[in-house]
Amino acid sequence: MSIGHTLLGLLESGPRHGYDLKRAFDERFGHDRPLHYGQVYSTMSRLLKNGLVEVDGIEPGGGPERKRYAITEAGITDVERWLAQPEKPEPYLQSTLYTKVVLALLTGRRAADLLDSQRSEHLRLMRELTRRKSSGDIADQLICDHALFHLEADLRWLELTAARLDQLAKEVRS
């Protein structure tokens, strides 16, 4: 995810302080990975330097002065361009899990145990996401569905790999 573009998009509704941007980001997108304040301020500094935001005002606070940021026309154009650009699908052609299976076979370990363990972990996470989805709002439901569909695809791969394990073992050991 582009943190900079996301913060720019949040600024389109009006000027905000860094604290407000962090809170809005965390509420909408940071359920599992909230932003650190340092990340917000370093990103805003970069956006300011690149002319995508401007300081709309400075207010005294209990600590350092609070800058209020506003998006510029260049920032709006940048967000429009980013939103219109499709994300590159990630094919996962060289996954860590595949590497572990091959190395287990090469070193004489039981790759089937590795696959079983991974399957259990995937199912555990799927149960957790399903619980979260059932009690969540529409945003939670959609993000959980996205994760669940990826986990389902992984499970299909685990089953396929388990069924082909003998064939893979012969190939990697030859």
Side-chain angles (χ1 to χ4, degrees):
M1 174 188 324
S2 170
I3 306 274
H5 286 110
T6 306
L7 294 177
L8 284 172
L10 290 171
L11 280 173
E12 281 202 50
S13 64
R16 297 181 189 213
H17 297 97
Y19 173 82
D20 297 329
L21 284 168
K22 179 201 172 350
R23 193 180 70 234
F25 181 97
D26 289 351
E27 285 174 6
R28 297 256 186 231
F29 313 109
H31 292 258
D32 295 320
R33 267 189 236 160
L35 283 180
H36 297 285
Y37 285 104
Q39 193 173 11
V40 172
Y41 293 110
S42 65
T43 301
M44 295 312 296
S45 177
R46 185 175 37 80
L47 295 172
L48 185 63
K49 181 177 137 193
N50 293 336
L52 302 176
V53 298
E54 60 191 10
V55 175
D56 185 58
I58 298 177
E59 301 167 5
E65 293 179 328
R66 294 174 28 133
K67 292 181 185 174
R68 189 175 54 246
Y69 298 96
I71 191 168
T72 63
E73 286 299 319
I76 292 170
T77 301
D78 199 54
V79 171
E80 285 175 358
R81 190 177 311 122
W82 179 67
L83 289 173
Q85 183 179 354
E87 288 296 307
K88 179 183 175 205
E90 295 295 329
Y92 305 109
L93 291 178
Q94 190 65 335
S95 75
T96 302
L97 187 51
Y98 171 77
T99 301
K100 285 183 170 186
V101 169
V102 170
L103 285 175
L105 293 171
L106 285 173
T107 60
R109 291 178 173 88
R110 291 192 33 84
D113 291 347
L114 185 152
L115 292 172
D116 287 342
S117 173
Q118 191 64 49
R119 184 181 305 103
S120 294
E121 184 60 19
H122 270 62
L123 291 171
R124 182 201 62 75
L125 181 56
M126 289 175 81
R127 285 189 297 274
E128 182 181 311
L129 289 168
T130 301
R131 277 192 298 275
R132 177 177 164 183
K133 178 182 162 181
S134 68
S135 63
D137 59 13
I138 188 68
D140 255 359
Q141 292 170 17
L142 289 170
I143 200 71
C144 288
D145 280 339
H146 186 263
L148 286 164
F149 293 148
H150 282 273
L151 290 167
E152 286 174 10
D154 287 351
L155 281 175
R156 287 190 356 238
W157 181 85
L158 289 167
E159 295 302 324
L160 180 67
T161 302
R164 295 179 174 173
L165 210 47
D166 291 338
Q167 181 184 353
L168 180 61
K170 288 177 190 169
E171 192 171 303
V172 298
R173 291 177 183 153
S174 62

